[in-house]
Amino acid sequence: MSNKILEIKNLSVQYTTDKIVSHAVNNIDLSIEKGEVLGLVGETGAGKTTTALAIMGLLPRYISTVTGEINFKGENLIGLNEKKYRSIRGSQISMIFQDPMTSLNPVFKVGEQIGDVIKFHNRKLHSHEIADKVDEILNLVGIPPDRKNEYPHQFSGGMKQRVMIAIAIACNPDLLIADEPTTALDVTIQAQVIKMMRALQKDLGSSVLLITHDLGIVANFCDKVAIMYAGEIVEAGTLEDIFDKSRDHHPYTVGLFGSLPNILERTDRLEPIKGLTPHPSELPEGCKFHPRCPHCMPICQAGDNPAKATSGTHVIQCHLFNKEKSL
Amino acid sequence: MLKYAIKRILMVPILLLLVALFIFILLNLSEADPVLLMLPQEYTQADYDAMAAKFGLDKPLIVQYFNWVVKSVQGDMGISYKTKGPVADDVVFRIPISLKLAFITTLIMVVIGIPLGVMCAVKQYTAFDSIINILAKFMGSIPGFWLGLMLLIEFSINRRWFPIYGIGTVKHWVLPVFTLLLPFLANYVRQVRSAMLDCIRQDYVRTARSKGAKESRVIFREALKNALLPIITLTGGIFATMIGGAVLVEKVFAIPGVGFKIVEAINTRDIPTLLACTMILAVFTIIVQLVIDLSYALVDPRIRGTFATKKKSRRSRIKKVEEVR
Ligand SMILES: Nc1ncnc2c1ncn2[C@@H]1O[C@H](COP(=O)(O)OP(=O)(O)OP(=O)(O)O)[C@@H](O)[C@H]1O
Ligand code: SF4
Ligand SMILES: [Mg+2]
């Protein structure tokens, strides 16, 4: 059964800055199978990027602590020695970052920045072989290869993100992490980039962890979805599990869908979830969502996290469903 | 790039003329009448006129300026009010001395300061960084004049390791360079550190790591090349400052440099000498600025960009026309 590329168990990440401890990620479990696309959805500050950086082993040193397991192809990455990790980064796991404008180095040629990642992981290749490979990859992401000698400032935002994608797929990674790859782009360009990523993912057969706020993208692209709130996965399941309105849902998920504009019912106002995400240094007791939850019960306000209610592939962490099931 | 360089170089003489005009007017605005300064207590109007005529001071300011420019270009920087000899004789030989002091000091500062600053940035939050930081603050606050005197007393007078004054041998330069270096180096390390920290925090550094780059490569290639931009400006500025600004060191170690002469010329109101020295400094400041700008363009494609794209677009247009055919 274990076709699992990535299996995260009980992962927690804390940041400590100026003696303040932020619990950015709290005991999450996630798994991605070969060729599967998992969408990780949540509001800003939920801990999505932190989760991604933990997988990459790129959390800021000195100020972050990681506990739990990140099993990648059966090997736990936490505590892996730096040399070994380096050989995985960029070749077996790669990442596309949130902001393409700042993620490319302004003083190196675009082609060089793509070529580097190939060079790092294929020491024996000749420079002309690398150059050929760069041309090939640029073609794949829809950039004319003769632009490889240009610098990032000569590229538009969408083109830069294509370059980032080119860097990420250059070594055919088993796992591609895309951290809000389109948030910084225009809507029309967003669609192009997502379409291209989907086609590439199908061709290359990589597994993808797609981080996004955009439920539309999730519906179009993902096989599985995990909803993240205050560093926890509050609901997870297949696309149908999450998007089927007739099924049970975590109140936060309901809120997320409620805050989407509905094309059929014309309303002037969106209906965002009331209140703000708690700061990870001051998380509430009990269910982290209780201060904002319309169904909040006494049991939700204290003690441990609600237990997880599982039905098939669908997991919800909320007392509402636990009670029903235990009754 | 070449076009940019040529354009910048062509601007140098124009800049110099403007700077000269500015300094010329400023210096001649002072109330003291230089003619009176040079005349003995008792003088006649004829003496006054003769003296004024001898130094060209009877003509309108703008004509004086014009004459001065024409002569300076030919290497004649006028007659010193004080020595009554040619200014050039008293000033030109000082240029290589000041340059040498500034150059050696800057070179050592760069060679020590950049690695140290980079190390501090990389090891931020560690004891190494804190210690260097405290040390730099301490060094930076030692007055150069006092430091020079102490070194001179201890190592030249008491221990006789180094000569007391003069510029003949390598040994002569050790204490002056060290005295000049220390406060600048202290400041330099801290600035390199902060320039480097700015770059280490950038997203593209994270991208480089995510590609599997070695840490040394991430620091010395991806981050340092970006940090070079502010570092170049800083280094150039310090070098230019040192050429004319090493007055105290020159005084303590009796080095006949330009800075020393400037102070003397100010005290004696020797305007031609002052003018000559100031112009020399201006020339070097402008040259340094030129070098800074050109190396900026070398390091940063965005600056080069404005010129490159123009050329490129023309080329690609030609290519398109050919394709159409
Ligand atoms: N370097 C850091 N030092 C301290 N706290 C941090 C650091 N990086 C992130 N955090 C905190 O951790 C929490 C989670 O941040 P993270 O970047 O993972 O959120 P996110 O879900 O990616 O949000 P967004 O949608 O805005 O990208 C935030 O509250 C943030 O303040
Ligand atoms: S556990 Fe309680 S507070 Fe939390 S989401 Fe469920 S009902 Fe709301
Ligand atoms: Mg993020």
Side-chain angles (χ1 to χ4, degrees):
Chain A
M1 72 145 244
S2 189
N3 232 347
K4 287 201 172 90
I5 286 287
L6 184 77
E7 187 172 30
I8 294 177
K9 284 186 192 156
N10 214 13
L11 176 74
S12 298
V13 181
Q14 282 111 42
Y15 294 108
T16 313
T17 41
D18 300 323
K19 305 228 161 77
I20 297 169
V21 181
S22 296
H23 299 268
V25 173
N26 304 305
N27 307 311
I28 66 165
D29 298 319
L30 275 180
S31 71
I32 305 180
E33 316 226 338
K34 201 167 178 345
E36 197 175 57
V37 181
L38 170 68
L40 185 59
V41 185
E43 281 170 297
T44 177
K48 307 180 298 290
T49 301
T50 304
T51 307
L53 290 177
I55 300 170
M56 293 295 288
L58 288 178
L59 286 168
R61 268 174 296 178
Y62 310 118
I63 63 165
S64 61
T65 2
V66 192
T67 52
E69 276 176 49
I70 300 175
N71 295 310
F72 174 68
K73 298 203 284 192
E75 184 178 23
N76 188 359
L77 296 179
I78 292 177
L80 195 70
N81 79 52
E82 182 53 29
K83 192 161 176 229
K84 199 113 187 268
Y85 223 137
R86 221 166 41 223
S87 71
I88 293 176
R89 268 184 223 131
S91 73
Q92 298 183 48
I93 310 179
S94 57
M95 181 159 171
I96 301 165
F97 291 97
Q98 211 159 346
D99 188 355
M101 301 303 166
T102 56
S103 293
L104 290 169
N105 196 325
V107 301
F108 294 108
K109 287 177 185 161
V110 163
E112 202 179 346
Q113 299 192 47
I114 301 170
D116 275 350
V117 65
I118 303 169
K119 200 165 75 190
F120 294 155
H121 300 288
N122 303 276
R123 285 286 169 197
K124 291 192 192 90
L125 282 188
H126 280 291
S127 54
H128 64 266
E129 290 172 302
I130 293 178
D132 290 347
K133 198 111 207 277
V134 169
D135 290 356
E136 188 187 310
I137 294 162
L138 279 172
N139 266 328
L140 269 184
V141 298
I143 295 176
D146 60 351
R147 296 197 63 178
K148 68 180 169 186
N149 287 327
E150 292 183 17
Y151 290 90
H153 73 272
Q154 293 164 281
F155 281 53
S156 68
M159 299 273 275
K160 281 187 196 148
Q161 196 58 303
R162 282 165 194 260
V163 173
M164 284 303 296
I165 293 169
I167 291 173
I169 62 168
C171 296
N172 284 337
D174 300 300
L175 175 64
L176 179 64
I177 304 173
D179 187 1
E180 304 190 32
T182 56
T183 351
L185 306 177
D186 287 344
V187 182
T188 45
I189 299 174
Q190 277 185 12
Q192 283 176 19
V193 169
I194 284 294
K195 213 170 136 196
M196 186 192 80
M197 283 185 59
R198 223 169 74 190
L200 284 174
Q201 188 268 334
K202 289 240 164 69
D203 283 355
L204 302 173
S206 313
S207 310
V208 177
L209 174 62
L210 177 71
I211 296 173
T212 179
H213 301 274
D214 189 333
L215 290 169
I217 293 175
V218 173
N220 272 314
F221 197 173
C222 299
D223 306 307
K224 286 199 310 197
V225 187
I227 312 277
M228 197 163 188
Y229 182 78
E232 292 173 356
I233 308 265
V234 293
E235 180 170 354
T238 61
L239 198 61
E240 298 87 68
D241 290 337
I242 307 292
F243 277 73
D244 185 346
K245 292 215 167 154
S246 64
R247 299 191 196 181
D248 289 340
H249 291 295
H250 191 282
Y252 177 65
T253 312
V254 175
L256 267 187
F257 279 84
S259 67
L260 269 186
N262 194 328
I263 324 165
L264 299 176
E265 304 161 28
R266 276 187 68 109
T267 43
D268 293 337
R269 277 167 170 275
L270 299 182
E271 207 180 300
I273 310 167
K274 288 192 183 68
L276 294 172
T277 329
H279 192 271
S281 63
E282 301 165 335
L283 292 177
E285 289 252 305
C287 171
K288 310 279 184 292
F289 189 58
H290 86 251
R292 299 169 76 184
C293 180
H295 308 285
C296 180
M297 302 168 285
I299 185 182
C300 307
Q301 296 172 13
D304 290 337
N305 277 330
K308 288 181 178 132
T310 310
S311 71
T313 49
H314 195 178
V315 185
I316 307 177
Q317 180 181 309
C318 170
H319 285 302
L320 282 176
F321 308 104
N322 264 325
K323 269 206 332 212
E324 278 171 17
K325 298 230 155 81
S326 57
L327 278 173
Chain B
M1 179 70 201
L2 192 67
K3 226 169 102 192
Y4 175 67
I6 291 170
K7 205 169 145 192
R8 285 303 321 262
I9 291 169
L10 285 182
M11 272 175 63
V12 169
I14 299 169
L15 254 165
L16 274 177
L17 279 180
L18 286 177
V19 171
L21 181 63
F22 182 70
I23 298 172
F24 199 87
I25 291 173
L26 210 65
L27 289 183
N28 283 292
L29 279 182
S30 94
E31 308 229 318
D33 183 349
V35 180
L36 288 183
L37 274 167
M38 287 180 288
L39 286 169
Q41 288 283 315
E42 307 268 316
Y43 66 94
T44 62
Q45 186 61 34
D47 290 340
Y48 183 95
D49 292 345
M51 186 62 94
K54 182 179 169 198
F55 285 94
L57 293 169
D58 51 346
K59 306 212 171 60
L61 205 54
I62 192 73
V63 177
Q64 286 184 37
Y65 169 71
F66 187 74
N67 285 339
W68 178 80
V69 169
V70 170
K71 280 190 179 164
S72 295
V73 172
Q74 298 161 353
D76 176 3
M77 290 188 267
I79 305 289
S80 162
Y81 293 168
K82 189 179 161 237
T83 66
K84 308 280 191 305
V87 169
D89 289 356
D90 196 20
V91 170
V92 171
F93 82 97
R94 293 169 184 274
I95 300 173
I97 297 173
S98 278
L99 275 182
K100 190 171 169 187
L101 181 62
F103 185 77
I104 295 174
T105 313
T106 307
L107 193 69
I108 299 177
M109 180 183 77
V110 169
V111 169
I112 301 177
I114 290 184
L116 214 55
V118 170
M119 287 288 280
C120 282
V122 172
K123 296 195 181 289
Q124 194 196 13
Y125 304 121
T126 66
F128 177 85
D129 181 37
S130 320
I131 291 170
I132 298 288
N133 212 4
I134 292 168
L135 221 59
K137 265 186 197 151
F138 175 69
M139 302 287 190
S141 55
I142 299 175
F145 187 67
W146 177 85
L147 176 70
L149 273 179
M150 290 302 124
L151 291 172
L152 191 71
I153 292 170
E154 180 60 22
F155 295 110
S156 297
I157 297 175
N158 293 348
R159 295 179 192 257
R160 295 177 185 277
W161 288 356
F162 300 105
I164 295 174
Y165 63 88
I167 51 168
T169 66
V170 174
K171 271 193 170 181
H172 283 101
W173 289 94
V174 175
L175 292 184
V177 166
F178 187 78
T179 310
L180 186 58
L181 175 69
L182 210 60
F184 279 113
L185 178 64
N187 185 34
Y188 192 71
V189 168
R190 282 157 37 111
Q191 304 247 28
V192 170
R193 172 184 180 273
S194 81
M196 199 59 196
L197 273 182
D198 277 349
C199 293
I200 287 179
R201 289 198 197 107
Q202 297 294 319
D203 287 349
Y204 54 76
V205 167
R206 194 173 57 182
T207 306
R209 292 200 178 108
S210 81
K211 294 199 279 188
K214 278 202 185 112
E215 195 56 23
S216 56
R217 191 187 159 93
V218 172
I219 300 299
F220 289 104
R221 205 178 125 86
E222 305 265 347
L224 186 58
K225 189 159 181 197
N226 282 279
L228 274 184
L229 296 172
I231 292 175
I232 288 170
T233 314
L234 180 68
T235 314
I238 292 178
F239 178 67
T241 314
M242 277 182 186
I243 298 176
V247 182
L248 292 178
V249 173
E250 286 173 9
K251 196 165 177 92
V252 172
F253 295 98
I255 295 172
V258 177
F260 191 42
K261 194 73 207 170
I262 290 183
V263 175
E264 202 184 271
I266 291 172
N267 288 337
T268 56
R269 290 176 212 281
D270 186 354
I271 290 173
T273 306
L274 189 53
L275 204 50
C277 291
T278 322
M279 280 315 291
I280 289 167
L281 293 189
V283 170
F284 282 109
T285 309
I286 289 173
I287 292 176
V288 166
Q289 192 57 51
L290 180 71
V291 173
I292 291 175
D293 286 354
L294 292 183
S295 28
Y296 244 82
L298 266 185
V299 174
D300 192 341
R302 285 163 293 190
I303 295 173
R304 209 159 52 216
T306 44
F307 301 90
T309 38
K310 259 184 228 150
K311 234 175 23 192
K312 173 93 46 67
S313 64
R314 192 174 340 118
R315 211 190 310 133
S316 62
R317 224 179 300 133
I318 293 168
K319 214 164 113 194
K320 258 181 219 143
V321 172
E322 281 167 356
E323 273 164 16
V324 169
R325 282 178 193 155

